[in-house]
Amino acid sequence: PIQKRMGCGSSLGASPQAPATKVSAKPSPSSSKHKVAAASKPASQPGSQSASKPAGRPASKPASWAGHQKPSGDCMLCMEELDDNNYLEYKIHDEQKWQPAGFCVDCVEQLISEQWTNFTQLVAKETCRAALLRLCASCPLNVKDWIAMPCSDHSKPQGHKDKAAPKADKPPCPTSGEVAKLWRCKDGTLMKTQLKGAKVGKERNAYIAHLKEFAMLLEDTEAE
C-alpha cells in the first residue's frame, strides 16, 4: 500500500514537461553575402600596383630611344608644354645628331599640310624676275622652319625677297634648311617629312622649268 501511494503520488504530483525542441541558427542573408564576398576577394600581394601605368615613354628605353633627349620647354607656336606625347627631334642632314624641335607634333604636321600651298601662292603673286628665280631655286619638298628647326652646321639661306645673301660665318644650307628626318617621341618612330601636295621626280622638274620660263617674261624690278 505504501508503494502504491508513493507510486500514485509520483504519478499524480509530477507536472508534465513539454518535449525539448531543437532550434537551428540560420545565418542572416547579409552575413552570408559578406562571407561570400570575403572569400571571392583575392588577397593583396605585396608590391602590387592598383593604378594603371601612365602612357608615354616606357620605363625601359628600347633601341629607338637611344641618342635622344628628354622633352622640355613649350612649343614655340602653340605654347603647349612639350612632353613624351608631342615631342619631336629632327635632322637637316643624315650625318647630323638629333636635335630637339621647337614645335610640337601637331604644329609640325600643320606645316607639312600647308607649306606647299603657301609656296604656290607666293609664286602666283610674284612679279619680279629675280625673286621668282630664287623661289625656283628653293622649291620645297620637305618641311622646314628656320626658327624651330635650324641647321646647326649652316647659315640661313637667302630668302626670295633678299637682294643679297645674309652675312654669316657658316656657308648657307645646301638643302635650304629642309628637314631630312623627324623622330616622334610618343612611339619612337620616324615621321614623314614630305609636304602634302609637293611635286616629285619628273613632275617636279617640269614644274620648276615652267616657272623659270615664266620668270624670263617678267621684269627685273630689283635692278631698277
Side-chain angles (χ1 to χ4, degrees), residues 108-186:
V108 172
E109 288 179 341
Q110 184 177 353
L111 293 180
I112 292 175
S113 64
E114 295 178 354
Q115 280 191 346
W116 176 257
T117 301
N118 296 339
F119 174 79
T120 58
Q121 291 175 352
L122 287 175
V123 168
K125 295 177 181 179
E126 190 53 63
T127 58
C128 175
R129 180 194 303 172
L132 184 54
L133 290 175
R134 285 195 292 269
L135 281 173
C136 294
S138 61
C139 181
L141 178 62
N142 298 329
V143 65
K144 62 180 178 180
D145 189 279
W146 199 259
I147 297 177
M149 296 179 288
C151 180
S152 57
D153 298 331
H154 301 91
S155 62
K156 183 178 180 180
Q158 183 180 6
H160 77 284
K161 285 295 186 181
D162 298 331
K163 295 182 180 181
K167 295 181 180 181
D169 298 333
K170 300 177 182 178
C173 183
T175 61
S176 300
E178 292 191 13
V179 175
K181 291 182 178 179
L182 279 173
W183 178 82
R184 180 168 40 204
C185 178
K186 181 177 182 179

Side-chain angles (χ1 to χ4, degrees), residues 49-124:
Q49 295 181 353
S50 58
S52 59
K53 186 179 180 180
R57 188 182 300 215
S60 58
K61 292 168 55 174
S64 58
W65 268 264
H68 296 282
Q69 304 179 29
K70 292 183 178 180
S72 62
D74 300 329
C75 173
M76 300 171 66
L77 191 59
C78 68
M79 303 308 295
E80 286 289 332
E81 182 180 0
L82 297 176
D83 54 26
D84 284 348
N85 293 317
N86 63 5
Y87 174 69
L88 282 175
E89 291 184 1
Y90 71 97
K91 287 184 179 183
I92 302 296
H93 308 290
D94 289 335
E95 65 273 11
Q96 291 178 328
K97 295 182 178 180
W98 289 105
Q99 298 292 329
F103 289 164
C104 65
V105 172
D106 292 340
C107 290
V108 172
E109 288 179 341
Q110 184 177 353
L111 293 180
I112 292 175
S113 64
E114 295 178 354
Q115 280 191 346
W116 176 257
T117 301
N118 296 339
F119 174 79
T120 58
Q121 291 175 352
L122 287 175
V123 168

Side-chain angles (χ1 to χ4, degrees), residues 23-63:
V23 179
S24 60
K26 295 183 179 180
S28 62
S30 59
S31 61
S32 60
K33 289 182 180 180
H34 178 72
K35 290 181 179 179
V36 172
S40 61
K41 185 178 180 181
S44 59
Q45 299 178 356
S48 62
Q49 295 181 353
S50 58
S52 59
K53 186 179 180 180
R57 188 182 300 215
S60 58
K61 292 168 55 174

